[in-house]
Amino acid sequence: MEYVIVNGEFVERSQAKVDIEDRGFQFGDGVYEVIRVYNGKMFTADEHLERLHVSGEKIGLKIPYSVEELKELLAELISKNDLKLGTIYMQFTRGVSPRNHPFPAETIALGFTANIKHVGRPSENMDNGVKALLKEDVRWLLCDVKSLNLLGNLLAKQEAVAAGCFEAIQHRGETVTEGSASNISIVKDGKVFTHPATNLILNGITRRVFLDLCEKNQIPYAEEAFTLTDLLEADEVFLSSTTAEIMPIIHINDKPVGAGAPGPVTKKLQELFLHEIEEQCGKIM
Ligand code: PDD
């Protein structure tokens, strides 16, 4: 039996119902998070749940649970589903109200759902690297909000997948921003570059973890925007996200990146990242 959370209550998945006038369903009016679970424990839960609050604040949506309350609920969701390795997806919408663009009164209850997925680590792609496709970033200018509105991201991802690629690398003119569902970084002469945490990207939690690891391990890095030319001339390119962790990109638009194989800095970061997971969640088998 699979359990999900609907408005703070645990229900069996087949019994879960949401109203067709939920603003998340009709407008994408809400925010979400995806949290990794290793050995039945959440990785960087505080960071994700704090970002959820910040995303909410940026669109005038007040999450009615503290980080601690959410952590308790999600821990129960993990245990009810006996989730060992996988992800938790959760979202808050601006609730159910007759369809009308202005926000409804703040007194209506937000729509809150969460569910789990049993999914392994993408070891093959992490070991061998993946291909990426360049794509003009046509999304809105609040990419720092983890909003339910993902159509721009989906269009980019779909085009990449149709071209046999794992990810789209988006750029606004000459400036590389981020992937469709990941952050993008390059390595040049041993130094890591990644777009600064502005409104043009989601400030990824995985990104924050590896930047911290760079700092602690004397790996040079800069949160500086880089260009398409920098990208195509980089020694290494990698993407980062909750589900993909740190994944080498070895081809862009069918041109090899560097030697066309995962590079040493990316591999070092993968190793440090795994160590960080194990510190929080225990040994990964
Ligand atoms: N996506 N940028 C975008 C547009 C993303 O959707 C994501 C994550 C990231 C990386 O963020 P983090 O390291 O916090 O996962 C960057 C999640 C996994 C998703 O939508 O499934």
Side-chain angles (χ1 to χ4, degrees), residues 21-123:
E21 282 192 310
D22 187 289
R23 289 174 66 93
F25 182 54
Q26 292 191 327
F27 292 121
D29 185 5
V31 292
Y32 76 102
E33 276 298 330
V34 180
I35 304 177
R36 246 297 181 192
V37 173
Y38 302 100
N39 295 328
K41 298 198 180 79
M42 286 178 273
F43 179 63
T44 53
D46 287 348
E47 289 82 347
H48 281 280
L49 296 171
E50 278 156 19
R51 184 174 66 184
L52 179 73
H53 276 90
V54 171
S55 288
E57 276 161 27
K58 286 181 175 169
I59 64 161
L61 190 153
K62 185 154 177 16
I63 306 291
Y65 296 85
S66 68
V67 166
E68 287 310 313
E69 286 166 342
L70 287 172
K71 270 203 296 196
E72 267 175 42
L73 275 171
L74 298 179
E76 198 174 337
L77 183 68
I78 291 171
S79 95
K80 274 194 180 320
N81 288 295
D82 196 24
L83 176 65
K84 296 287 181 246
L85 180 62
T87 53
I88 298 175
Y89 174 83
M90 63 187 302
Q91 62 172 44
F92 280 88
T93 75
R94 214 180 303 271
V96 177
S97 185
R99 188 178 182 280
N100 196 14
H101 287 62
F103 295 172
E106 275 180 16
T107 46
I108 74 160
L110 301 187
F112 165 32
T113 58
N115 62 294
I116 60 109
K117 187 150 105 182
H118 296 272
V119 54
R121 301 173 68 220
S123 305

Side-chain angles (χ1 to χ4, degrees), residues 134 169 171 173-176 184-189 191-195 224-238 252 256-258:
L134 291 176
I169 300 180
H171 55 95
E174 276 301 299
T175 304
V176 175
I184 302 290
S185 307
I186 62 171
V187 182
K188 189 69 185 173
D189 300 328
K191 183 169 175 177
V192 178
F193 293 86
T194 198
H195 196 287
E224 265 171 38
F226 53 88
T227 65
L228 280 176
T229 311
D230 297 330
L231 175 79
L232 296 171
E233 290 176 356
D235 302 323
E236 303 175 36
V237 178
F238 63 87
I252 299 174
V257 173

Side-chain angles (χ1 to χ4, degrees), residues 213-252:
L213 290 170
C214 285
E215 178 73 33
K216 288 186 182 136
N217 293 277
Q218 289 85 44
I219 298 171
Y221 70 94
E223 291 181 77
E224 265 171 38
F226 53 88
T227 65
L228 280 176
T229 311
D230 297 330
L231 175 79
L232 296 171
E233 290 176 356
D235 302 323
E236 303 175 36
V237 178
F238 63 87
L239 63 83
S240 59
S241 81
T242 295
T243 46
E245 300 183 13
I246 291 173
M247 191 176 279
I249 294 178
I250 54 164
H251 277 80
I252 299 174

